[in-house]
Amino acid sequence: QVHVVESGGGLVQPGGSLRLSCTASGVSLDNYAIGWFRQAPGKEREGVSCISSGDEERYYASSVKGRFTISRDNAKNTVYLQMNSLKPEDTAVYYCAAHTRYDYLVATLGTNVMQPWGKGTLVTVSS
């Protein structure tokens, strides 16, 4: 049985940092591109970042480029999203999603076509 958990969210002040984790059991992430998207109340879903299965390619939304870094540790079956210089507008529930095709994941991450793997983790940026 596949089980995916997003974790690492919390309350942080503007300018602070958090590291989110997307950890899977029951499936190996080795052959999957993994992405993060976020959903804030009253806002459209936004695809934040993707990493290819072999770590050759990474995608970042313009809103987070230079502040967020995606990485993966296949030995731990985990993908991370390091978030620095956080802003109030980064407040959202963050979800991870996966697909065997990186290009397809990048194209659909910000749409309802791509379903989340876990229940998400809440990030709140506030003073």
Side-chain angles (χ1 to χ4, degrees), residues 50-72:
C50 292
I51 186 167
S52 61
S53 60
D55 199 7
E56 311 96 346
E57 298 178 271
R58 300 180 184 186
Y59 160 82
Y60 297 98
S62 58
S63 58
V64 306
K65 195 171 293 184
R67 299 188 298 122
F68 290 11
T69 302
I70 192 169
S71 62
R72 64 191 301 153

Side-chain angles (χ1 to χ4, degrees), residues 34-40 43-51 58-65 67-68 70 81 90 92-97 104-112 114:
I34 306 294
W36 290 91
F37 68 88
R38 62 189 181 187
Q39 183 74 62
K43 293 186 178 180
E44 290 189 358
R45 175 171 158 175
E46 181 182 19
V48 173
S49 183
C50 292
I51 186 167
R58 300 180 184 186
Y59 160 82
Y60 297 98
S62 58
S63 58
V64 306
K65 195 171 293 184
R67 299 188 298 122
F68 290 11
I70 192 169
L81 187 67
D90 295 317
V93 179
Y94 285 72
Y95 301 88
C96 62
Y104 183 83
L105 185 62
V106 172
T108 60
L109 192 61
T111 74
N112 291 332
M114 186 55 59

Side-chain angles (χ1 to χ4, degrees), residues 1 4 44 50 57 65 71 77 89 95 102 122 126-127:
Q1 185 176 359
V4 176
E44 290 189 358
C50 292
E57 298 178 271
K65 195 171 293 184
S71 62
N77 223 26
E89 50 264 43
Y95 301 88
Y102 171 78
L122 176 62
S126 175
S127 55

